[in-house]
Amino acid sequence: MRPISAIAISCVLLNAYAGSSVPLTPAGNGHLVVPAFVNGKGTVPFILDTGADGSHVYEWFAKQQGLKPGASISVEGMTGAAMMPTYRLDSITVDGRTISGVAVTGLPDRKDAEIAAGITGNDLMDGAIAIFDFPCRAVTLLPRPVSMRRILTKDAVMIQGGTVVDGTQLTLPVTVNGAAGIAVLDTGSRGTQINSAFARAAHLDSSSFRRGATLYGAASEAMETQEGEVKLVAFAGRYVNGLTVRVADLPVFESFGFGKGPAMILGINAMIGQRLVYDHKAKRFWFDRSRCKATA
């Protein structure tokens, strides 16, 4: 396996027409991060998250930077909601794209070994085409408008994303072992989560699953999961065999408006072999073939 830096460089050369790219690197426990400038200084590792409405910083980074907390607001996470302090940043920049005067919330420090300074989401990606090339381990942000013919290959499959009740996340149809459900596209989730309704519809015996990782979400509320492999997950004409999923009835499914139906958070473990081209403003995205060979 080549070093990550070499993979990212080769991807840039193969996609020279698409402009510059930044590396997408492991943060230590499953998430992938990009280098970001905060208030013109950096770089620091940020998660570039299609599952996040806005931007956030972890408390350790807020303290390190001497950020002054403002009023607290309620923030909805995967496992529930909590009151969190707000901060004001002059700017956040990723791959040359800058948003200014950014209101961010302070998240509790992570409970694992990952090193990330913060998260930036659809606020930064609105107005841009975000290309997550997972096999190339690189991200490119292109200002709109862009000629999609120059970006996409003939193998690209477009999804007109659905919307959620509370949030800016986009959804897509998925099947698990042939059973249909709805999924939220989430590059900020290292794993894929399904609710018990989806597990039942897919005829999964979750009682035979092993104990999975404890999920905390933005609110830092612990939720236990059961974890196992499913035979086949399908979306956008792509097929993933033996995907590891976690079964949990996450509160966020209710806030998304999914009710009691089969629901999923489609995480990066399901997309790791794909090239995701994401146009949040137009509420559409493509799964495409990468020009790099997928690596474990």
Side-chain angles (χ1 to χ4, degrees), residues 113-273:
E114 285 192 359
I115 301 298
I119 298 167
T120 190
N122 292 324
D123 54 344
L124 182 110
M125 289 182 280
D126 263 339
I129 304 297
I131 305 172
F132 295 81
D133 199 323
F134 293 107
C136 285
R137 296 289 180 92
V139 166
T140 306
L141 296 176
L142 301 175
R144 298 173 87 248
V146 174
S147 171
M148 301 309 296
R149 289 183 180 180
R150 298 185 64 195
I151 295 174
L152 301 170
T153 77
K154 62 180 179 60
D155 299 315
V157 175
M158 191 193 85
I159 299 292
Q160 190 63 50
T163 58
V164 299
V165 171
D166 184 14
T168 62
Q169 293 81 3
L170 300 181
T171 68
L172 68 156
V174 295
T175 64
V176 175
N177 294 348
I182 192 76
V184 171
L185 184 73
D186 194 347
T187 59
S189 177
R190 59 190 174 185
T192 293
Q193 284 71 235
I194 66 173
N195 63 3
S196 57
F198 216 156
R200 289 193 298 271
H203 302 291
L204 302 179
D205 180 12
S206 58
S207 65
S208 67
F209 281 15
R210 58 188 174 272
R211 180 176 177 177
T214 302
L215 300 178
Y216 292 95
S220 211
E221 290 288 334
M223 177 165 282
E224 301 302 325
T225 68
Q226 294 170 297
E227 181 177 282
E229 288 72 44
V230 297
K231 184 177 180 180
L232 180 64
V233 175
F235 56 92
R238 269 58 181 168
Y239 302 93
V240 184
N241 297 299
L243 182 70
T244 298
V245 301
R246 300 184 187 116
V247 180
D249 288 319
L250 302 169
V252 74
F253 288 137
E254 289 288 336
S255 68
F256 284 153
F258 295 158
K260 302 297 183 183
M264 171 188 286
I265 303 292
L266 188 74
I268 57 175
N269 68 328
M271 296 183 273
I272 205 67

